[in-house]
Amino acid sequence: MILIAIAWCLLTLAAAMLVGQQVRDWSLQQLQTEGQDRLLATINRIRSALDEYRYLPFLLTQNDDVRRLLLADNPEHWTEVSRYLEQTNLVAGAAGLFILDRKGRALAYSHWREAEGFFAGSHAEQPYFLQAAGGEQGRHFALQHGVAPAYFLSAPVYNQHIFIGAAVVRVNLLNLLPELPDAELFTVSDDNGQVFLTPRSGWQLQRLDSLYQKQNRLELADGTSVQLWLLADKRRLMAQSVRLDDLGWTFTSLTPIREAEQRGQAFMLATLGGGLALGLLLLYVRERHLKHLSQQETRDALARSEAQQRTIISQSEVGLITIDQQGGILFINPMAMQQFGVSQPLVNGMKLENLLAGLDQFGPIRRALSRLAQPGFVPVTGYEVVGRRGDGTEFPMLFSIRRMRNEPEPQYLVTVIDITRRKRLEHALRDANESLEQKVIERTRALEAAQQELVQAGKLAALGRMSSAVVHELNQPLTAMRTYLAICRQLLDQPQLLAENLKLLDGLTNRMEVITRQLKTFAYKKPEALGPVSLATVIDQSLLLFRDRFASGGIELNCRPEQAAVSVSGDSARLEQVLINLVKNACDAIDQQGGRGEVLIAVERMNGQVLLQVADSGPGIAEEHLEQLFEPFFTTKSIGSGLGLGLAIVASIVRDLGGEISVSNRPEGGACFRVTLQAADNEP
């Protein structure tokens, strides 16, 4: 059966395509004949329109005032001739009439009132003048960019067989278009393929081959071929062209073929539809015969199915109820009778809503029951409601309702599941969760207390390291001061030696001042107001302190001042302290590997921020020390070389200025400190 249907469809499709092609070719042949007639009519109309102006040059040559003007060139004659030309042109409707002398100069013009510059030019080289000077009837087509296409007619003016001038008529070819039918689509182009006459304004002065996207020829059933154009707007046109040798113009008639193609498609679809309809009719007759045979079997099967459904419903482990389109109970299975505490005779015909408590609280159930047997009915699945037993007690249940059948009368199946046990378990689980949440809160509080104890222990450890470092740093200069004081007592009568010892004492007090100043800076209060600071000035001031160290230690400084021509938000003193600490650490790192290295200072602008980098070619920083490097009193130097507050002070200053600081090891060796600061408001 399937193979027969496929073969019939293929045969119908082939016949439809053949009919469609024949109808399309016949329609195109008719359009081709009509296009030829229109093309000939268009040529005749344009020729007739041009012929209406052919008499004008000869009319002008017969005027006595024109001859006198050409012979005498008197201003009075110029005025009379110009007015004569003006009046004649108003009657003839040409674009212009003018008189040329034997040298091709214009002596009179129909538009003399508004075209004074016209008389300044020479027409001696124009074909229409040369033809008239040769004793011929002049004809010339002119197409200039930005000027309407014009056709010139000329005739010679003689005085006793002597050529004394020429009468010229200029015709604006665009004025011929209103005389043509509006629905007609054609083009007139010159030998260069440029269109100068067409009813479609957008094609005016365009090249003929630019009017279409694609050109091809179509072979028709009778052996003839037609030329088709595909336009930019996806229209397909039939093009028929002919060239007029006397004018040098090519006339092209354009005919839309959409109607012919639609006619062919319509016949193809009609044939296809008829064949398919015939096939469907035959199939319908066959299926109707088979349907009559199976209807009785279907009715018997439906009766058996209903009996089987009732048996399944009766034996189901969930409550099942069938209702009619009014919501009346038709059948209830034993499980539902057990859940609601009712019997079949008691509930027959009872409304289902009587078995539900607080129906107004359950909007989806109420809407579903009110729209039974209506288009707006929406099934409900697994909705929690409250059921009412026969003794008036209530219990939670899951309620579902869906349409079971439509014919012969709509019936609906309601599923009821008692979830009393599940609700008890949910309450128990909720109580357990609340108890667990309370335990989590208590444990969190205990962890927070332990964390505070750890923080306090860390503070005590830092205080211990600070105390040890401060005691060690201050003990050495104090011991030396006691020794020098004892020596001074012995040298009271030797002023020169006494002065040297006092100078040494002064150096020791300066060292103790540096130690205490670091502690004071570590506790320095964040500045209340920040302002724009030139980063180049900060770098210059800071590097003054390291000139001797760079020279004596063989350290090379790599810093380009033009990179630092930017202002940042901060204060000069604290920024100098940051840079001094970073450069000093870089020099110390280079000294650790025997001196001679490089210190690199780079500045970069990025998105309203300024990145300051200080790098060295030293041994770098151990990976396990990178995270502790900015902690107070942490140092990798030997005891007596510092308190470990330098980088902690730097990090504190950078944070106070709203910036960030980080450190990493360079791939080529050494460490690199990166300080990100906010650019001043006037910086890009």
Side-chain angles (χ1 to χ4, degrees), residues 176-209:
L176 303 180
L177 290 177
E179 304 296 331
L180 303 175
D182 294 337
E184 186 173 329
L185 184 59
F186 70 93
T187 63
V188 182
S189 56
D190 59 13
D191 288 338
N192 295 324
Q194 189 167 17
V195 176
F196 61 86
L197 193 61
T198 177
R200 192 163 180 175
S201 60
W203 291 0
Q204 192 72 25
L205 301 181
Q206 300 291 325
R207 287 192 57 81
L208 191 63
D209 55 6

Side-chain angles (χ1 to χ4, degrees), residues 613-676:
Q613 299 185 73
V614 179
D616 60 71
S617 59
I621 301 171
E623 293 294 331
E624 63 272 13
H625 295 158
L626 287 175
E627 295 183 358
Q628 301 174 280
L629 206 60
F630 297 106
E631 294 181 2
F633 307 108
F634 175 82
T635 181
T636 59
K637 301 176 182 178
S638 59
I639 296 178
S641 299
L643 293 177
L645 288 178
L647 290 178
I649 292 173
V650 168
S652 176
I653 292 174
V654 172
R655 284 194 300 269
D656 290 345
L657 298 180
E660 297 178 355
I661 185 171
S662 61
V663 62
S664 62
N665 287 316
R666 302 170 66 195
E668 60 270 25
C672 178
F673 287 83
R674 295 177 176 84
V675 179
T676 303

Side-chain angles (χ1 to χ4, degrees), residues 8-9 15 41 50 60 82 91 130 199 308 343 345 363 371 388 392 436 441-442 474 532 547 581 662:
W8 179 266
C9 291
L50 291 176
L60 300 179
S82 294
V91 177
L130 297 176
Q308 187 178 8
S343 61
R371 296 175 180 174
R388 181 186 291 114
L436 181 60
I441 292 174
E442 293 176 357
L474 294 180
R547 286 183 177 177
N581 274 283
S662 61

Side-chain angles (χ1 to χ4, degrees), residues 438-454:
Q438 184 62 33
K439 291 181 180 180
V440 170
I441 292 174
E442 293 176 357
R443 182 61 177 167
T444 302
R445 291 174 180 172
L447 290 175
E448 290 177 351
Q451 184 178 9
Q452 292 179 357
E453 291 178 0
L454 289 175

Side-chain angles (χ1 to χ4, degrees), residues 31 43 66 130 173 216 238 331 376 383 398 422 442 678:
L31 291 178
I43 294 173
V66 172
L130 297 176
L173 296 180
N216 64 300
M238 179 190 298
F331 175 78
Y383 196 87
L398 286 179
R422 194 188 79 178
E442 293 176 357
Q678 297 295 325

Side-chain angles (χ1 to χ4, degrees), residues 522-534:
F522 184 66
Y524 186 72
K525 184 180 179 182
K526 177 181 177 180
E528 296 181 355
L530 303 176
V533 177
S534 173

Side-chain angles (χ1 to χ4, degrees), residues 335-352:
M335 178 59 71
M337 288 189 289
Q338 178 182 348
Q339 291 171 342
F340 288 98
V342 295
S343 61
Q344 179 74 45
L346 182 62
V347 297
N348 279 344
M350 179 188 295
K351 295 291 186 181
L352 178 64

Side-chain angles (χ1 to χ4, degrees), residues 184-465:
E184 186 173 329
L185 184 59
F186 70 93
T187 63
V188 182
S189 56
D190 59 13
D191 288 338
N192 295 324
Q194 189 167 17
V195 176
F196 61 86
L197 193 61
T198 177
R200 192 163 180 175
S201 60
W203 291 0
Q204 192 72 25
L205 301 181
Q206 300 291 325
R207 287 192 57 81
L208 191 63
D209 55 6
S210 67
L211 303 183
Y212 52 84
Q213 288 186 341
K214 185 178 180 182
Q215 183 186 45
N216 64 300
R217 302 196 70 84
L218 178 64
E219 191 76 20
L220 301 182
D222 62 351
T224 62
S225 63
V226 295
Q227 188 179 54
L228 300 181
W229 287 8
L230 177 63
L231 301 186
D233 57 4
K234 305 306 180 185
R235 285 195 303 162
R236 288 161 60 85
L237 304 176
M238 179 190 298
Q240 296 169 277
S241 302
V242 63
R243 184 181 184 278
L244 302 182
D245 294 334
D246 59 335
L247 295 175
W249 297 350
T250 299
F251 285 75
T252 303
S253 176
L254 300 173
T255 306
I257 64 170
R258 179 183 178 88
E259 184 177 352
E261 291 179 334
Q262 289 179 342
R263 186 180 297 117
Q265 292 174 357
F267 273 83
M268 182 185 69
L269 294 176
T271 305
L272 181 61
L276 294 178
L278 179 59
L280 291 175
L281 179 60
L282 296 176
L283 183 62
Y284 171 75
V285 172
R286 180 179 181 276
E287 292 298 325
R288 184 176 178 83
H289 176 68
L290 295 176
K291 181 178 180 181
H292 284 298
L293 296 177
S294 64
Q295 280 182 344
Q296 187 60 41
E297 295 180 3
T298 302
R299 284 192 290 268
D300 295 341
L302 181 60
R304 291 193 299 270
S305 177
E306 288 182 353
Q308 187 178 8
Q309 287 179 1
R310 287 185 176 273
T311 301
I312 294 174
I313 291 175
S314 299
Q315 297 176 356
S316 177
E317 296 297 327
V318 298
L320 299 175
I321 305 172
T322 58
I323 61 175
D324 57 20
Q325 57 185 343
Q326 285 77 34
I329 298 176
L330 300 176
F331 175 78
I332 183 170
N333 74 337
M335 178 59 71
M337 288 189 289
Q338 178 182 348
Q339 291 171 342
F340 288 98
V342 295
S343 61
Q344 179 74 45
L346 182 62
V347 297
N348 279 344
M350 179 188 295
K351 295 291 186 181
L352 178 64
E353 59 188 36
N354 294 332
L355 298 179
L356 302 176
L359 183 60
D360 293 338
Q361 302 177 6
F362 309 108
I365 305 300
R366 178 171 50 81
R367 287 192 295 271
L369 294 178
S370 64
R371 296 175 180 174
L372 295 176
Q374 295 182 7
F377 172 77
V378 178
V380 177
T381 303
Y383 196 87
E384 289 192 12
V385 296
V386 178
R388 181 186 291 114
R389 297 189 179 95
D391 58 2
T393 59
E394 299 177 353
F395 67 98
M397 65 179 184
L398 286 179
F399 181 93
S400 302
I401 182 171
R402 63 179 179 84
R403 184 180 286 112
M404 188 168 59
R405 75 178 188 187
N406 287 329
E407 300 293 340
E409 292 183 358
Q411 289 187 4
Y412 301 85
L413 179 65
V414 176
T415 304
V416 178
I417 301 176
D418 189 348
I419 57 173
T420 303
R421 184 171 179 275
R422 194 188 79 178
K423 287 295 183 181
R424 292 197 192 101
L425 293 176
E426 287 179 357
H427 287 304
L429 181 61
R430 188 181 302 111
D431 294 340
N433 286 338
E434 291 177 356
S435 176
L436 181 60
E437 289 178 0
Q438 184 62 33
K439 291 181 180 180
V440 170
I441 292 174
E442 293 176 357
R443 182 61 177 167
T444 302
R445 291 174 180 172
L447 290 175
E448 290 177 351
Q451 184 178 9
Q452 292 179 357
E453 291 178 0
L454 289 175
V455 172
Q456 186 64 26
K459 291 180 179 180
L460 293 175
L463 184 60
R465 291 196 301 270

